[in-house]
Amino acid sequence: MKTLLQDMIDRDQVARFPDPAFKLIQFSSYDRRSVAPDKPHWLTGARTDRGHVIRTEENSGRTEYVLMDHQAPGAIVRTWATDRRIAPKPYNGPVNAIMRVYIDGNPEPAIVGHMNDVFNGDGLIPAPFAHKSLSSSVSFFPITYAKSCKITVDEKPWFYYFTCREYTQGTRVESYSKERFDALDRETAKVGRTLVAPKVDGPTRNTNWRGKLAGGKETTLELPKGESAVYEITLEPETLDDPRRMRSLILKASFDGNETVWSPVGEFFGTGVGLNPFQGWYRTVTNDGKLICRWVMPYQKNASVSVLNLHDEPVNLSFKVATKRWKWDERSMYFNAGWRYQEAVRGPSDWNYATLKGKGVYVGDTLTIWNPVKGWWGEGDEKIYFDGEDFPSIFGTGTEDYYGYAWGNPNVDFYEHPFHAQVRVGEFNKNHRTAPVDNCYGYSTQTRSRSLDAMPFNTSMKLDMEAMSNRELEYVVGSYWYAMPETTHNFTPNPDAAKRPIRK
């Protein structure tokens, strides 16, 4: 647990392929009738995803519903759950279910308590690792086990995720115990303080540009030569109150002669359309319009970062890239960011976020949707395939669940956490908030970045998200991943889409 806590705030390690190796898997309440894309029930969205379990067991005279049973060395690195007790009206109601976490086959549970009490930041797992998030409870605290982990509840559940690292057999993993958990109190507190006050430590070499960037023009910062890494990118464009400027300003980056980043700054920094402030571990958008990215981006020989203005009018901006020395080795990877746009998406369908072929680690995404009506924009399950799988290792229960909140339309409000945020819903953002109302008209943006729950792949990865709306929506996604040089992807620069007028 101590190692994983340290890894959670070590941005360098995310830029190197994992050692020891692991695969990310997930246990969730998805509809078990979803067995293949060409079979019924594959595209049912979240409507039928609640209450599904692996099996039931009798234990000491009580029935226990098994939510997770993982027979391998591993670690739970993300949990998400909602139930009737914390659901908004009219879904809410009493729940008395007790969760039990059994480690390494021990008949006595290592953790006992109501699931949402354990993972909402007020119980066993402290904030900011665990927190309440719009009618759900989310936790990123690592729960480790050497041989196996089984989780049960004694009342039929609603919706839940347990996302786990599965290590190869023979990997030595220290198992969770309350004694070990308590002994790490100081380490846990230190990591928690770091997560909510992100910064880049140590001296950096700064490369700067400030001026007026004319329409259709590009400015490029050539970075220091030799083995180095970008540690922070800061962009301060003027007139961010014009939403089109965010879509038509493009961030580009090339490392060792290959362009690996092409994205409008809105999706790259997680702010979506317009200026929507939030604080995250990897990215921060401030109230005064400063856009900050802290993903580490290594290179061996040379690198450049550019801003392209696709707008027809000039923009004043300040642009800074901070670098430090980096020791390149066989595990080092290049940072990538791509952008996809589709003007009209109508469900039900699986909408592809990213398809990657080769070796790398997927580390996050930002979804921006434009919705033409006040009602909920729909949603559906994420399905994530690794290394040529026919059935996804990660099968979720809803788009908003993937981004760390619940119940969609009743929760029209801002939230933020070091690893995820809903930065905008229609007229609402961090600085413009009222009591939640059932109005999802216009743009919605949610973003997620990954640390311990980053997703390694050896030959391929595909992330699909169900689009379930019966009306046409605009879908835009920015995706972020690290990859070896030979890895390919299905993103292409799309300046025509980035120049399109912003919808009202």
Side-chain angles (χ1 to χ4, degrees):
M1 285 189 293
K2 182 177 182 179
T3 303
L4 291 177
L5 283 169
Q6 293 169 343
D7 285 351
M8 186 181 289
I9 56 172
D10 184 352
R11 298 189 187 94
D12 286 8
Q13 62 86 23
V14 180
R16 301 184 194 273
F17 198 80
D19 182 21
F22 67 87
K23 177 182 179 180
L24 204 72
I25 65 172
Q26 186 164 279
F27 297 86
S28 80
S29 58
Y30 79 92
D31 189 339
R32 301 306 195 261
R33 298 174 301 171
S34 302
V35 295
D38 60 347
K39 302 293 184 183
H41 307 292
W42 186 256
L43 294 172
T44 57
R47 295 187 301 271
T48 59
D49 282 332
R50 65 186 180 211
H52 297 279
V53 300
I54 297 173
R55 62 180 181 273
T56 58
E57 297 179 346
E58 296 300 319
N59 191 348
S60 301
R62 64 177 176 266
T63 299
E64 295 187 22
Y65 297 85
V66 179
L67 312 186
M68 168 181 165
D69 190 359
H70 190 202
Q71 299 292 318
I76 300 171
V77 291
R78 180 182 185 261
T79 67
W80 170 92
T82 186
D83 62 29
R84 294 179 67 89
R85 194 177 73 169
I86 60 173
K89 293 180 179 179
Y91 311 106
N92 60 346
V95 175
N96 299 307
I98 298 300
M99 178 187 70
R100 294 172 174 84
V101 181
Y102 299 91
I103 302 291
D104 296 340
N106 191 324
E108 294 300 319
I111 299 173
V112 180
H114 189 283
M115 189 185 305
N116 286 297
D117 291 344
V118 172
F119 297 129
N120 68 7
D122 293 332
L124 175 70
I125 309 299
F129 304 95
H131 71 116
K132 300 182 183 76
S133 181
L134 301 186
S135 303
S136 67
S137 299
V138 188
S139 172
F140 292 88
F141 192 90
I143 299 173
T144 52
Y145 43 95
K147 299 177 182 178
S148 65
C149 180
K150 182 175 70 173
I151 299 179
T152 71
V153 290
D154 57 14
E155 187 174 296
K156 195 169 185 179
W158 265 30
F159 300 90
Y160 63 87
Y161 285 15
F162 295 98
T163 307
C164 311
R165 289 186 172 194
E166 179 178 282
Y167 294 103
T168 56
Q169 291 294 336
T171 304
R172 296 181 60 188
V173 179
E174 171 196 75
S175 292
Y176 170 93
S177 69
K178 185 59 165 58
E179 292 74 21
R180 183 62 179 145
F181 177 84
D182 291 341
L184 288 173
D185 184 64
R186 292 179 116 186
E187 184 75 21
T188 299
K190 178 181 178 181
V191 172
R193 290 192 299 269
T194 302
L195 284 173
V196 297
K199 62 180 181 178
V200 173
D201 293 324
T204 58
R205 295 170 292 174
N206 295 328
T207 308
N208 304 272
W209 187 90
R210 181 188 295 272
K212 180 178 289 187
L213 185 60
K217 298 300 182 180
E218 181 175 332
T219 182
T220 299
L221 296 180
E222 299 291 341
L223 303 183
K225 304 290 186 182
E227 290 187 349
S228 301
V230 173
Y231 274 77
E232 189 170 70
I233 299 174
T234 303
L235 193 64
E236 294 183 72
E238 192 181 62
T239 62
L240 287 181
D241 54 338
D242 178 358
R244 188 179 168 198
R245 299 297 184 95
M246 299 296 288
R247 181 60 57 82
S248 59
L249 268 184
I250 309 300
L251 187 78
K252 301 166 62 177
S254 295
F255 302 100
D256 294 330
N258 296 311
E259 184 177 279
T260 66
V261 174
W262 194 101
S263 175
V265 299
E267 273 69 49
F268 182 85
F269 290 95
T271 184
V273 174
L275 179 64
N276 300 295
F278 75 99
Q279 172 82 309
W281 172 242
Y282 288 103
R283 292 155 303 151
T284 297
V285 177
T286 65
N287 287 330
D288 58 357
K290 184 180 292 185
L291 313 177
I292 304 168
C293 163
R294 289 176 289 269
W295 268 303
V296 175
M297 308 177 190
Y299 57 94
Q300 299 181 68
K301 297 177 182 179
N302 54 70
S304 64
V305 180
S306 306
V307 177
L308 168 64
N309 180 15
L310 293 175
H311 201 277
D312 50 6
E313 296 180 0
V315 60
N316 293 315
L317 65 89
S318 174
F319 179 27
K320 181 179 74 173
V321 179
T323 58
K324 294 197 292 187
R325 289 294 182 187
W326 174 274
K327 179 63 177 176
W328 191 275
D329 59 22
E330 68 280 359
R331 292 172 48 221
S332 297
M333 298 179 291
Y334 292 105
F335 181 82
N336 293 253
W339 187 77
R340 291 200 63 215
Y341 168 93
Q342 187 168 338
E343 180 181 5
V345 177
R346 182 188 290 270
S349 64
D350 282 332
W351 196 77
N352 181 244
Y353 271 35
T355 298
L356 312 175
K357 294 183 178 180
K359 186 174 183 178
V361 179
Y362 189 88
V363 294
D365 39 67
T366 296
L367 174 66
T368 299
I369 285 177
W370 183 81
N371 178 19
V373 301
K374 290 184 177 182
W376 179 224
W377 45 261
E379 44 88 25
D381 309 340
E382 78 273 17
K383 299 162 185 173
I384 308 176
Y385 307 76
F386 302 108
D387 302 335
E389 292 175 328
D390 293 325
F391 191 84
S393 288
I394 295 180
F395 200 135
T397 66
T399 309
E400 78 273 46
D401 312 344
Y402 174 87
Y403 285 107
Y405 66 109
W407 298 107
N409 204 37
N411 281 319
V412 181
D413 204 353
F414 168 87
Y415 77 90
E416 66 182 352
H417 177 272
F419 298 122
H420 55 215
Q422 180 170 250
V423 303
R424 174 178 176 175
V425 186
E427 298 178 356
F428 301 99
N429 65 16
K430 190 174 186 176
N431 295 328
H432 182 193
R433 302 171 67 184
T434 64
V437 294
D438 293 345
N439 185 352
C440 290
Y441 172 81
Y443 286 101
S444 296
T445 297
Q446 36 259 302
T447 189
R448 177 175 175 181
S449 59
R450 295 170 175 266
S451 179
L452 295 185
D453 59 334
M455 302 191 294
F457 53 95
N458 290 286
T459 60
S460 66
M461 193 215 77
K462 184 175 75 165
L463 194 166
D464 290 340
M465 189 72 71
E466 280 184 80
M468 299 305 299
S469 177
N470 60 4
R471 54 192 174 271
E472 291 186 345
L473 310 176
E474 179 184 276
Y475 264 56
V476 177
V477 70
S479 293
Y480 331 109
W481 68 97
Y482 288 92
M484 298 299 179
E486 66 278 4
T487 301
T488 61
H489 57 79
N490 64 338
F491 293 89
T492 56
N494 193 346
D496 289 339
K499 291 189 292 185
R500 288 179 63 88
I502 297 299
R503 299 174 187 260
K504 299 297 184 182

